[in-house]
Amino acid sequence: SPGALTVVASGGGGSGTYTYLWYRNGASIGVTSSTYNPGPITVNTDLYCVVTSTSCGSVTTPTFTIVVLSAVWTPTPITISAGTEPTCQLTNGTTTTTYSTTATNNTGFNWTISNPDAGSINSSGVMTWADGFYGTVVIQVTANGCEGPTIMVTHTVVVNQGASIGSVTGPTPLCIGSPETFTANSVILGGGTGSWSSNNITIATVDAFGVVTPIAGGSCDIIYTITGACGNPVSAQQSVYVYETTSASVNISVSPGTLICEGTLVTFTANGTNGGTSPLYEWFIDGNPVGSNSSTFSSSTLAMGNMISCKLTSNKPCVTGSPVSSNTINMIVKPSLTAEITISTPSNPACTNSLVTFYTSIEDGGTTPAYQWYVNGTLQTGATNSTYSANNLGDGNTVSCVLNSNEACVVNNPANSNVITMVISPVPEANAGNDATYSGTPVLLGSPLNGPGTITWTPQAGLDNPSSQQPYATPTYTTVYTLSVNNDGCVRTDDVVVTVAGSGYMVSGKTMYAYKALAGNPAPTPPTFNPLIYNINKVIVILKNQTGTELARDTTDIWGTYSFNNVSNGNYILSYDKYTVDTMMWVNEVNAVDIALVKYYVSSTPAIDPSRSFMTIHKRAANVDNNGFTNAIDIARLKAKVADPYNPAKNFPKGNWVNLDSLITVSNANLSVNLPVIAYGDYNASSSKYKDSANTWGLSKSLPIENIVMTSEDAMVTVNKELIEVPLRISGKVNEFSALGLELTYSNDEYELVTAGMPKAGKDNESITLNPSLDEIIANDKDLLVTESEGVIRVVYATTNHYDVIENDEILTLIFKPRKSQQSGEIGLNLQGTGVIADQYGREPEGVYLLIPKIYVQGVQSVAELDFTAYPNPFSDKITISYTLPESGGVSLKVYNVLGELVTDFINQTQSAGKYSVDFPGNKLPEGIYTFRMEYESRGVTRSTMLKVIK
């Protein structure tokens, strides 16, 4: 065998160093060691070695021959040859395969298999396969030589299992546009491959990974197919149905309507789409679930401000947005009211053919009630307004009115008024006679036709019978006699002058209120002035000479008449001033209009714009501190007086009336001079009446008698019981709005006015401080001033920064704080009073008034659980907002200013159930009113609440 033979050469007895060189069959093989392993050799191989000694210088070359009797066995490579082998699982009986191999110089072969489950193999290489076997088996053959097994060969056989499949599963139903993934379960490929398919690709397609894409509505099969190496294709499938993708919605309606009377049975109906065959309905009142699972909900116990909504949960496949919430219906539930109407007239008794006007006072007539007027029970055609005028009434005629209310829930409708029986008297004759001169012979005055009625002559001095139709006059000085005839309230007057002969001349006349000024329109058109309109009594008129020495004085009578007798020719001064017994006497119509006009006058240059530069007498009235200069101090004093007329600290330094002088000349004739009188502050001289004493003044001082605040049909619902915001809106359009004056009463035992603001008024849109002192008014440059005293609110707004307002604009906002615990329902805050609204020229538009909504405090059960509070309120630096969440949900807290503009989105996140407090930094915010609005969303229901706070 290879490596078994080793040949060794040794030296032949010499000395020194030996060298060796081996030869095989006569040829050198290059081996120089003393030992040589020839490896495999054949029979009769010759080997010899040449040995050389260096010491003796001679070479000895022994030669020998190795004789090999027999050669060693050398195996040749072997292989396995196979007959027919199975490639697939055997299922039909016994099958054999014969294996063979060849190799030289062998003594035999040994056959083995690695997997006995495959069957058995005999010594001849015949393999008998086991029925049903699949898998891998290794067949091994070993060749045996003279010295034992010397070489081994293996052969691997793979028998495949037959293809099989379990089932196909995937989500169902399918929705158009929503791909879903399907899977094939318990799949054995058996050497094959699998593929997905759809039997209707117009309904749904499927990709190589089992992702099914629904395309159109309908049914189809999703198929998984295996094509194996050992048999026909096998498949599994799932039938699916594809639905169109739709969205759920629900809208609710109400019958008989959102405006109902208390106790009315109301039915709400849900109209849902894509709800399926039996959707689930949930009904809510103010966010709280009520009612059963029905598409309708009915109740007869609803309250004002209840908010009704519904939630639809669909059972239809492929519906998005389920559950979905409906719209919210806000209910206006009104109590039963009683319509009432009362009529009155200031002209009863009246004269024949005089114009008599009747006024109505109504309750619960609504915003636009209908009126029907009757005279002696006969309907008056066209008489459908709240007032009725006639000049053809006769004595004993009866006048009444019928009110048809358009307010909801009103009983006694139509309502009949009281009946007024008119006293109409003929117009009497009043002829005082012709002017005459008394020179010692009594002068006969009057006429025998005077009357009918009660006759009165004034003054009585110098008359023999002051109640006669024709008295005799014997005056001691020139006198103006006035005849008055009163026929059951129908009064006529006439004057006559009786001059005393030889006593000089008479200077006489009347003190009358000043000329009403009308601003030039458009600017810079000069102003115009009306004639003197009414008499002023109790005016002290002093006659002075040129040096100022008093010569005589007179006090005007009830007709405003004064007179001086025996006045010689010459130049004189008539100095006059209204006599006052206290500091509270004043005229009406001193209001925000005058303040606005004075502001325009002060801020303009009269030479360029004279439109609001009135006469000297008017300018004297504007200079309320009487220092000769009209400026911002006068404007502030005037605002303070109008806003707080009964506070002595706000009085004008020189009283309420202007002291005036008039130059006159007497020249050979009696002189008649009417003296214009004016009150401080009445810059446009618009007064039509005045008061002489605080004792008879009352509270209705300077504004018209008509109520300027009307209740509208609008309802405002609030959940804030701590601060009640009352918006006042304007009923009509006012271009170049410049002035607003209000004097309103309210129930101050139940509410406290906190502040006020004007949303569109620029710098005055912020809330203001009530009841400022005179020094504060002078120091602050604000157009808006508001005072409150014992249940009376006075609003004074005057500006040169005019702006347009249109119908339903919010013009003023009042903020009240309840003094008592506020119950749910309509608040008992009743605003009534008078006022003026005017443009930059002082013109007051007809028929324009303010509207106040009906304000209800909502039952806060739905949001009370949020416990939404703010402290402190009012605040300055920061305010702490606290709220409680009953369960986790989305929370949004936004802050808005008084103009409704978003200041900040302070919180917008999902929070867990619990109580929260957060500080809102307000140090950089300007003073004003702010709304904190919180929205809380949980389980598909959104609730909101808000707080009004003041900085």
Side-chain angles (χ1 to χ4, degrees), residues 281-359:
Y281 294 93
E282 292 179 89
W283 291 90
F284 299 86
I285 296 181
D286 298 335
N288 298 310
V290 294
S292 58
N293 178 27
S294 173
S295 60
T296 61
F297 167 67
S298 299
S299 175
S300 60
T301 59
L302 296 177
M304 182 66 193
N306 279 164
M307 297 183 293
I308 314 299
S309 61
C310 179
K311 184 167 68 175
L312 166 70
T313 301
S314 173
N315 67 347
K316 182 179 179 181
C318 301
V319 175
T320 61
S322 178
V324 62
S325 297
S326 73
N327 55 307
T328 298
I329 294 180
N330 294 329
M331 295 303 299
I332 301 176
V333 182
K334 295 196 172 184
S336 295
L337 305 172
T338 301
E340 296 180 357
I341 179 172
T342 302
I343 63 173
S344 61
T345 178
S347 304
N348 190 21
C351 300
T352 302
N353 296 326
S354 63
L355 184 67
V356 180
T357 300
F358 299 84
Y359 300 91

Side-chain angles (χ1 to χ4, degrees), residues 383-438:
T384 58
N385 296 323
S386 59
T387 60
Y388 169 65
S389 299
N391 60 0
N392 58 351
L393 297 174
D395 189 47
N397 283 171
T398 59
V399 179
S400 62
C401 185
V402 174
L403 165 71
N404 288 276
S405 173
N406 70 339
E407 177 66 273
C409 309
V410 174
V411 297
N412 188 40
N413 188 28
N416 295 309
S417 75
N418 56 305
V419 177
I420 294 179
T421 301
M422 294 301 301
V423 177
I424 304 295
S425 302
V427 178
E429 176 73 22
N431 184 357
N434 298 323
D435 293 344
T437 300
Y438 173 61

Side-chain angles (χ1 to χ4, degrees), residues 88-89 134 160-164 188-190 230-231:
C88 296
Q89 182 179 5
Y134 65 91
N160 294 314
Q161 183 185 10
S164 64
I188 301 175
L189 295 179
C230 297

Side-chain angles (χ1 to χ4, degrees), residues 707-825:
N707 187 13
I708 196 171
V709 180
M710 305 292 289
T711 302
S712 71
E713 282 301 305
D714 295 335
M716 188 179 80
V717 181
T718 180
V719 298
N720 191 351
K721 294 185 177 182
E722 302 301 322
L723 288 176
I724 307 296
E725 178 179 324
V726 179
L728 295 178
R729 301 181 181 275
I730 197 162
S731 68
K733 181 177 182 180
V734 179
N735 291 330
E736 300 173 334
F737 168 70
S738 285
L740 173 68
L742 297 175
E743 189 172 279
L744 308 176
T745 61
Y746 74 105
S747 48
N748 66 321
D749 58 332
E750 296 183 3
Y751 299 91
E752 174 190 359
L753 180 66
V754 177
T755 187
M758 298 185 71
K760 297 185 65 176
K763 64 182 179 181
D764 288 308
N765 62 5
E766 303 169 1
S767 58
I768 49 89
T769 301
L770 301 179
N771 301 323
S773 66
L774 177 59
D775 290 339
E776 290 174 328
I777 296 173
I778 294 174
N780 295 331
D781 184 23
K782 283 187 174 291
D783 294 333
L784 176 63
L785 173 62
V786 180
T787 64
E788 192 282 336
S789 176
E790 299 180 353
V792 179
I793 302 169
R794 292 184 177 88
V795 177
V796 180
Y797 176 74
T799 185
T800 55
N801 297 317
H802 55 260
Y803 56 93
D804 294 343
V805 293
I806 61 174
E807 181 180 354
N808 211 39
D809 269 355
E810 185 174 338
I811 198 170
L812 178 68
T813 303
L814 302 175
I815 307 294
F816 293 90
K817 181 179 181 180
R819 297 184 185 272
K820 304 175 183 178
S821 177
Q822 190 70 41
Q823 302 299 317
S824 299

Side-chain angles (χ1 to χ4, degrees), residues 675-696:
L675 302 175
V677 182
I678 195 167
Y680 277 117
D682 192 11
Y683 182 58
N684 64 350
S686 58
S687 167
S688 60
K689 61 181 179 181
Y690 66 96
K691 297 288 185 179
D692 271 325
S693 170
N695 297 326
T696 60

Side-chain angles (χ1 to χ4, degrees), residues 708 710 730-734 837 844-851:
I708 196 171
M710 305 292 289
I730 197 162
S731 68
K733 181 177 182 180
V734 179
I837 301 170
E844 301 176 31
E846 294 185 4
V848 176
Y849 48 89
L850 300 181
L851 292 168

Side-chain angles (χ1 to χ4, degrees), residues 512-589:
M512 307 181 72
Y513 205 76
Y515 315 92
K516 182 178 180 180
L518 305 176
N521 180 22
T525 304
T528 57
F529 303 90
N530 288 343
L532 300 177
I533 56 173
Y534 71 95
N535 303 327
I536 297 288
N537 68 340
K538 294 184 181 180
V539 176
I540 301 173
V541 183
I542 302 174
L543 180 68
K544 299 179 180 180
N545 61 21
Q546 290 288 77
T547 63
T549 302
E550 180 178 333
L551 303 177
R553 69 170 53 199
D554 190 17
T555 301
T556 58
D557 58 18
I558 59 173
W559 293 281
T561 302
Y562 74 93
S563 64
F564 297 104
N565 298 306
N566 302 318
V567 180
S568 303
N569 290 332
N571 296 319
Y572 300 90
I573 299 173
L574 289 178
S575 178
Y576 56 101
D577 192 6
K578 181 77 169 69
Y579 170 75
T580 57
V581 295
D582 57 41
T583 61
M584 298 305 296
M585 293 163 294
W586 208 10
V587 300
N588 73 333
E589 296 295 341

